[in-house]
Amino acid sequence: MISCGCFGGTTFHGLALAPSICRSPSMFSPLRTLTLTLAATNPHHRLLRRVLFPTIVRAFSSTALPTAPITKQEGKAAAKQQWKAAIDFKWIRDNKDVVAANIKNRNSNANLDLVLELYEKFLKLQKEVERLRAERNVVANKMKGKLEPSVRQALVEEGKNLKEGLVSLEEDLVQLTDQLRQEAQCLPNITHPDVPIGGEESSIIRKMVRSPWEFNFNIKDHLELGKDLDLFDFDAAAEVSGSKFYYLKNEAVLLEMGLINWAIAEVSKRGYIPLITPEIVRSSVVEKCGFQPRGQNTQVYSIENNDQCLIGTAEIPVGGIHMDSILPESALPLKYVAYSHCFRTEAGAAGTATRGLYRVHQFSKVEMFIFCRPEESNLYHEELIAIEEDLFSSLGLHFKTLDMATGDLGAPAYRKFDVEAWMPGLGRYGEISSASNCTDYQSRRLGIRYRPSSDTPATSKKGKGSNLAPTQFVHTLNATACAVPRMIICLLENFQQEDGAVVIPEPLRPYMGGLNVISPKAKTSQ
């Protein structure tokens, strides 16, 4: 996903939407080309080499408290959050200094002190509940024999009092457990030990690809090019929808569809399963993926009078595709490449750095997503960033890959690599992609496990089984193959010509009907 500032908070950004908002997108470009490409796709294979993760990565993997199944509510919004992440509270307590440092380094507002306080209260209350249950069992056992009426009556009264006290304490325990989980679920993921500590400025350059294109004429930015080539209409979109919306016109439409089909075809060759996802999801799924749709600076559009949201990235519906499932180990890794529209409020985004297509409320994106075994997620993280670098290199872009610092990591990310491309018209680098390893942060919330056994039956929902290996949480990773508006910026600004035309990079031409150049329109005489 492309990071866009704070994707969290405490209240929904309300939005009333008609059902037609979630219509199926049409795919454009030579269909035969894409079909042949998919037909030739090589089957994905499992990497044999394993990477040993530090024990700390599994910090929140174990279930310290029983995990209740997700409450299914069809046709109505849930009154409260009905999901529970599997969190190892004992590990958090025993490693509180590590957790506290991680919260500080990531600029998280999670309240560790409250989590620890609630956990101690939970332990004491749980102990008292267990004591009363034991006493109630003792009383019940005493009543099994032959007793004097007065003795039996006394035991009945004692049992009644114990039952009433137990019911009250059990209700308190349920409420306390819910409060504990709510607070603990705000804790960010543990950070990879190699991640630089600090703000975005502390991020480290991993790789620099190509040199900036040199121009011997006065260059234009994408807004000027779009106006001269009649590719965009921001003014009409502002009247129809509001600021930060746009119409694509003429060759820009072909360019968007060509980028989408090119990205899907290229990633599919590497064994990724193509998907088109829902663009409206339950708010609980957004939360389980680590994007809390709350607060004044939320990036999430919620639907009025409904417990649903518009997605800000396909990472969310793809992450939920195996929700509450136990996968056979033989099915891993599961690799997807997903197309969707994305919707973001872009709260707080303003200024010349965000003008034009750079930061908008609605855009198209192709996202990669992987479910894998824990020991393989570091390897697949490298695979994802390598795919991104191959894609952008093939288009002739100048870009740098960054290992992002702790202060720039979202709550789910264990480690994140960003790709920033040179945008000559804007005169700066701009983020066009990122690749994140979320370890088991999302899977613990989404309830996605795998059973380490070569003879496990097909994928099944949670259930009981005998003589089966214990399940483990999968690791999840995501990466952007193509965020269309920012790719359009890069292509227009980097491949502009002195006569005002824009050359289409060769890899995209088969997906644009063979179009080689976007030429200035002939001016009509007055």
Side-chain angles (χ1 to χ4, degrees), residues 196-490:
I197 296 174
E200 185 177 357
E201 69 283 354
S202 300
S203 301
I204 298 173
I205 297 177
R206 281 170 47 99
K207 190 175 185 179
M208 187 75 76
V209 177
R210 295 182 181 272
S211 299
W213 291 97
E214 295 183 0
F215 300 91
N216 56 9
F217 57 89
N218 292 327
I219 61 174
K220 304 174 184 178
D221 66 17
H222 71 282
L223 284 170
E224 296 175 280
L225 290 164
K227 181 178 180 181
D228 293 345
L229 297 172
D230 195 21
L231 301 178
F232 318 133
D233 194 332
F234 288 93
D235 294 336
E239 293 294 325
V240 171
S241 302
S243 63
K244 295 186 183 298
F245 287 93
Y246 57 95
Y247 286 96
L248 293 183
K249 301 171 61 180
N250 299 314
E251 292 91 344
V253 176
L254 305 185
L255 187 54
E256 165 152 335
M257 297 304 179
L259 281 166
I260 292 166
N261 283 342
W262 163 76
I264 292 175
E266 288 299 314
V267 178
S268 296
K269 291 177 183 177
R270 295 164 166 86
Y272 288 68
I273 302 169
L275 287 177
I276 294 180
T277 73
E279 295 173 354
I280 294 178
V281 298
R282 299 183 188 277
S283 60
S284 59
V285 178
V286 178
E287 292 172 338
K288 290 173 186 179
C289 288
F291 307 118
Q292 300 176 18
R294 317 170 200 176
Q296 295 181 349
N297 289 324
T298 180
Q299 297 299 331
V300 179
Y301 282 112
S302 65
I303 301 176
E304 197 170 70
N305 301 321
N306 204 318
D307 187 35
Q308 292 175 312
C309 304
L310 299 182
I311 64 170
T313 167
E315 171 190 348
I316 296 169
V318 180
I321 195 170
H322 297 296
M323 188 168 61
D324 302 321
S325 293
I326 298 175
L327 305 169
E329 185 178 20
S330 59
L332 300 178
L334 280 168
K335 301 180 180 182
Y336 294 101
V337 54
Y339 164 75
S340 75
H341 292 109
C342 304
F343 305 87
R344 300 182 184 179
T345 68
E346 297 299 354
T352 57
T354 65
R355 65 197 181 103
L357 290 174
Y358 191 82
R359 199 175 292 279
V360 290
H361 290 308
Q362 176 184 335
F363 59 95
S364 301
K365 183 157 70 83
V366 178
E367 186 82 358
M368 298 178 284
F369 199 97
I370 296 177
F371 300 89
C372 70
R373 297 186 301 173
E375 61 268 26
E376 294 179 332
S377 64
N378 274 345
L379 288 174
Y380 287 122
H381 197 198
E382 294 292 340
E383 175 180 301
L384 288 171
I385 192 64
I387 292 174
E388 291 179 339
E389 291 171 347
D390 287 348
L391 291 175
F392 306 141
S393 293
S394 73
L395 295 180
L397 299 180
H398 163 55
F399 62 88
K400 57 184 177 180
T401 303
L402 302 169
D403 192 349
M404 301 308 293
T406 54
D408 194 66
L409 299 182
Y414 172 63
R415 192 178 194 180
K416 181 165 76 82
F417 302 140
D418 277 5
V419 176
E420 294 185 356
W422 179 245
M423 300 175 178
L426 297 181
R428 63 182 176 86
Y429 289 95
E431 182 191 341
I432 60 171
S433 179
S434 68
S436 298
N437 182 359
C438 297
T439 63
D440 61 357
Y441 190 91
Q442 294 174 326
S443 63
R444 285 183 287 104
R445 289 156 168 73
L446 292 163
I448 308 173
R449 305 170 185 252
Y450 77 99
R451 194 177 299 280
S453 172
S454 59
D455 56 355
T456 304
T459 302
S460 62
K461 290 293 180 180
K462 287 182 178 178
K464 296 181 179 179
S466 59
N467 299 322
L468 294 175
T471 59
Q472 298 180 34
F473 290 104
V474 299
H475 278 196
T476 62
L477 304 96
N478 65 83
T480 304
C482 181
V484 170
R486 294 188 184 180
M487 288 298 291
I488 290 178
I489 293 174
C490 289

